[in-house]
Every structure is written in C-alpha cells, then in structure tokens.
Amino acid sequence: VDLFPIALGRIRLTLDLSVLLATGLLYPPAVAAVLGFVAALDVREIRREIGAASALFNRAQIAISLYAAAWTFDVLAGEVAVSPSAIGATLAALLVDFMANVAFVALFVLLREQGDVAAARREFEVANRTLLVITHLGYGVLAFILAVLAKQAGLWSVGLFLVPIVAARQLLIRNEELKRTSDQLRQRERLLEQLFRGTLDERRDERMRIARELHDDVL
C-alpha cells in the first residue's frame, strides 16, 4: 500500500492506516510499534530522495503513533471481538493515532518552514475536510474488519481489502484535482475582474478628458 502514496503539495499521504491500525489491534503495543517501524516503506527512501534522518523520523512517527493507538485499544478493550466495546476502543485508537500523526507532521512542517506558522498551516489545507474525516473513519472501520478477519479467517484475508484501499486513493486524488482546478478558475476570475475594472477606469478617465475638452471648446 505504501507504494501508492498521494502527493498533497509537499506532503505525501500514504493509505496504510487500515493495515497499521489492524496490526495495533491484533498485537501488543511494543510488537505493533516494531512492526510499523520495520514495515513502513517510503518510495523516496528507495530513490534516495530523502536522507537517513528524515527516513528515521518518518518511521519513528509511525511507530510511536501505532504504539499509542495499540495501547489505547489494549486498555479499553484488550481483545479483538465483534462487540460495542471493541468497536468503541477501535475508534478511540483511531483518534489517538490521528492526533499523534498530526502532531508529528505539524512539528516537521513547522521546523521546515523555520517557525512560520502561517506557511505551516497552508500545508494542511485540504479540498474537503468532511470527506477527509469520513474517509478516515472508513479506514478505522476497515481496520477493525481486517483485524476480525485476520483473527478468525487468517492473514490471507488482508489482501481482499486492497481493492477498497485503491478505490479510496483514487477518490482522494480526484478530490485534490478538483480543488486545484477550482483554485485555478478562481484565480483567473480574479484576474479577469481586475482587467475589467482597469478597462472601466480607463474609459471613465477618457470620458472625463473628452468632457473637459468639450467644455473648454464651448467656453
């Protein structure tokens, strides 16, 4: 799944949340964190587009977030089962994982922007926040289903859910493309409006000049 990231500006979004969270539900926090650290795959590492420090930071971020999520589920539910308590614990783990990831990414972006809070906030702008929340909740539900199937049917069932993951990826990409197109159209509309206003100002000035000349001729 990590081989198909989504580029949002300079931020790259991977869609491995369901698999990672399912790992946190199935295994103890320490084991899940180690698995997340080792299994996290960034194409930029293979292409040597990022340094060792950035790669280590990214993997540590995943491991710590996954540890916090697994610990939350372990405290609230303790075992994967089709029950209200396990579902509630999964949602709580999803929230903890989300908050931890946002905190780490915000810290990284803030350091990269040299403390410029406004520039850092612009990096987190998305086309549709409601869609992002719904998609995130969908991945949480998918993680719970993955964990239940992996426990009852075996790990082979994880492969069945690559299709909805790819479908969600295409949905997010399409949403971002629409956002960029909409931004470009709004920018062009502003330019046309400025040109139109400039033309009106020039015509008004010309009419006033002609009026003054006619007035002088009459006198």
Side-chain angles (χ1 to χ4, degrees), residues 61-142:
Q61 167 194 338
I62 293 173
I64 295 174
S65 301
L66 186 55
Y67 182 92
W71 181 85
T72 301
F73 181 83
D74 193 48
V75 169
L76 296 179
E79 186 178 3
V80 175
V82 183
S83 64
S85 60
I87 295 174
T90 301
L91 294 178
L94 176 68
L95 178 62
V96 169
D97 181 85
F98 177 80
M99 294 176 62
N101 271 295
V102 168
F104 275 106
V105 174
L107 175 62
F108 178 81
V109 173
L110 191 61
L111 292 175
R112 187 182 61 192
E113 298 296 338
Q114 299 179 351
D116 189 344
V117 178
R121 287 185 61 183
R122 286 194 295 270
E123 293 286 350
F124 286 89
E125 292 181 355
V126 294
N128 191 325
R129 296 182 180 181
T130 302
L131 178 61
L132 179 63
V133 172
I134 293 175
T135 303
H136 209 74
L137 288 175
Y139 277 126
V141 174
L142 180 57

Side-chain angles (χ1 to χ4, degrees), residues 41 46 53 59 64 81-82 91 104 128 139 145 165 171 173 175:
L41 178 62
I46 301 175
R59 289 176 177 269
I64 295 174
V82 183
L91 294 178
F104 275 106
N128 191 325
Y139 277 126
I145 297 174
I165 288 177
L171 178 62
I173 290 177
N175 192 51

Side-chain angles (χ1 to χ4, degrees), residues 183-197:
D183 292 341
Q184 292 174 358
L185 288 176
R186 281 196 295 266
Q187 184 178 3
R188 291 179 180 179
E189 289 177 356
R190 287 192 295 267
L191 290 176
L192 289 174
E193 185 178 357
Q194 292 174 1
L195 291 174
F196 180 70
R197 289 179 179 177

